[in-house]
Amino acid sequence: MDEAAQRAFLRARFGDAARVAMMRPGEWSTVYSIGIPDRELVARFSAYDEDFEKDAYAARYASAALPVPRILEWGPAPDGFYAVAQRVAGEHIDGLDGPGMRRVLPALFAALDAMRAVDLSGRSGFGGWRAAGRATHPTWRAWLLSVGTGAATRGAPGWRELLAGSPVGTRPFEDGLARMRELVELCPEARHLVHDDLVNRNVLVEGDRITAVLDWGSSIYGDFLYDVAKLVFYRPWYPAWRDIDFAAEARAHYDRIGFDVPHFAERLACYCLRIGIADMAYSAFRGRWAEVTRKAERLLEVAPPSS
């Protein structure tokens, strides 16, 4: 669905007087702002419905600490699907400088605590989930290790085929997977709500407050530390955050609230490995060879081989 068709769809839905402007094209969706007389909205288009279904479902978990915008409507559109939500004020967390990120860390950890506290007793499985309630894998460890056998992403071939012709080959992936297998038995079979994409312009902030946690398409059921691991792994991609040790900040937060996290370092290392090797394959799928190399190097930094 091209831009002209998307704009025509929105004008047909909201009227010719609606102010429609593209905000950004994303990896899996295109985003528009819509101005109508009584409110400001955001519309997204995607070839897949599951992301919007999860956004709509995740809104039931919203709280003061975890602000999740309600999806006002979603459904089929020509060549795909669309979703509309109220536009929320705030700047993307990705653009914060070091002091700004430090100011918002307490609110970010409070949001992670709210996700950890979500009651998932009526759900089953681990990994990617749908609104119907069942996730993709029977255990958390099975989902973690499935990175070695599954496709790089939806619609993609397996990692070996993708990485074989890359600048780094398959060795970093294989070594990372081997190190994961050494650590995975220390990862608990506990089911929590995990966002799994807190960067990539998916969190809005104002000052020291989080105003919205967006785009739940990547969300999984699993260990809450997985979201912390994502921040740890991708810190070098945000030079302004170079002096923030997210692992130490998280550990200090859990100590302050009296929450025991056994095998903290080992779990974090396992999840950083999973994130790194999975995202290497994804970057190869997108043909981003410099990113493949960078992620292979990062694997050695966050979880060096045991001596």
Side-chain angles (χ1 to χ4, degrees):
M1 194 176 186
D2 62 24
E3 182 179 349
Q6 290 170 345
R7 288 177 178 272
F9 179 89
L10 293 175
R11 293 195 186 282
R13 174 64 188 82
F14 295 102
D16 290 336
R19 303 183 309 280
V20 177
M22 181 183 285
M23 297 174 67
R24 62 182 174 94
E27 294 284 275
W28 299 106
S29 63
T30 304
V31 186
Y32 291 86
S33 64
I34 307 168
I36 54 178
D38 61 337
R39 53 187 167 168
E40 296 290 322
L41 305 172
V42 172
R44 288 184 293 149
F45 291 90
S46 174
Y48 300 92
D49 67 335
E50 63 188 83
D51 294 358
F52 301 152
E53 175 190 283
K54 290 170 78 171
D55 286 344
Y57 196 89
R60 69 185 57 198
Y61 301 137
S63 65
L66 183 64
V68 182
R70 186 168 65 90
I71 299 298
L72 303 176
E73 59 183 76
W74 70 280
D79 299 324
F81 301 87
Y82 83 106
V84 176
Q86 188 83 24
R87 188 171 185 181
V88 179
E91 63 177 310
H92 295 287
I93 200 171
D94 309 50
L96 295 179
D97 61 14
M101 187 61 174
R102 285 192 181 279
R103 277 194 300 273
V104 86
L105 272 180
L108 184 59
F109 287 130
L112 294 180
D113 289 343
M115 282 187 258
R116 176 168 52 83
V118 167
D119 181 6
L120 297 178
S121 57
R123 321 293 281 174
S124 64
F126 295 82
W129 55 270
R130 296 293 296 263
R134 183 178 297 275
T136 55
H137 289 76
T139 69
W140 176 232
R141 294 166 190 167
W143 181 82
L144 289 169
L145 294 176
S146 70
V147 69
T149 55
T153 187
R154 50 193 173 192
W159 63 267
R160 188 178 296 277
E161 180 180 345
L162 287 167
L163 290 172
S166 77
V168 301
T170 62
R171 183 63 181 271
F173 191 108
E174 292 168 338
D175 288 349
L177 187 61
R179 296 203 298 281
M180 271 188 67
R181 291 194 177 104
E182 295 172 0
L183 296 167
V184 75
E185 292 303 317
L186 297 176
C187 300
E189 293 292 342
R191 184 182 301 109
H192 302 111
L193 181 66
V194 178
H195 184 277
D196 192 23
D197 202 13
L198 290 175
V199 287
N200 293 320
R201 301 167 65 89
N202 290 328
V203 177
L204 297 178
V205 302
E206 280 190 335
D208 61 356
R209 296 187 308 112
I210 289 176
T211 58
V213 180
L214 309 168
D215 194 351
W216 292 78
S218 297
S219 178
I220 57 175
Y221 294 154
D223 186 351
F224 65 91
L225 277 185
Y226 201 84
D227 273 327
V228 176
K230 206 72 172 265
L231 295 170
V232 170
F233 186 88
Y234 277 108
R235 183 185 64 171
W237 275 252
Y238 299 88
W241 304 348
R242 63 183 177 275
D243 295 327
I244 301 177
D245 184 337
F246 287 107
E249 295 288 346
R251 191 189 288 270
H253 167 74
Y254 295 126
D255 286 345
R256 278 193 300 272
I257 65 174
F259 186 73
D260 184 39
V261 187
H263 304 298
F264 178 93
E266 294 85 354
R267 287 156 65 182
L268 212 58
C270 186
Y271 304 154
C272 282
L273 286 165
R274 213 277 184 189
I275 290 162
I277 61 179
D279 290 2
M280 277 176 57
Y282 179 79
S283 293
F285 171 63
R286 294 293 187 183
R288 298 168 184 159
W289 305 117
E291 280 291 292
V292 173
T293 300
R294 191 178 187 191
K295 288 166 185 174
E297 293 168 348
R298 181 64 175 152
L299 284 174
L300 296 175
E301 296 171 356
V302 296
S306 54
S307 55

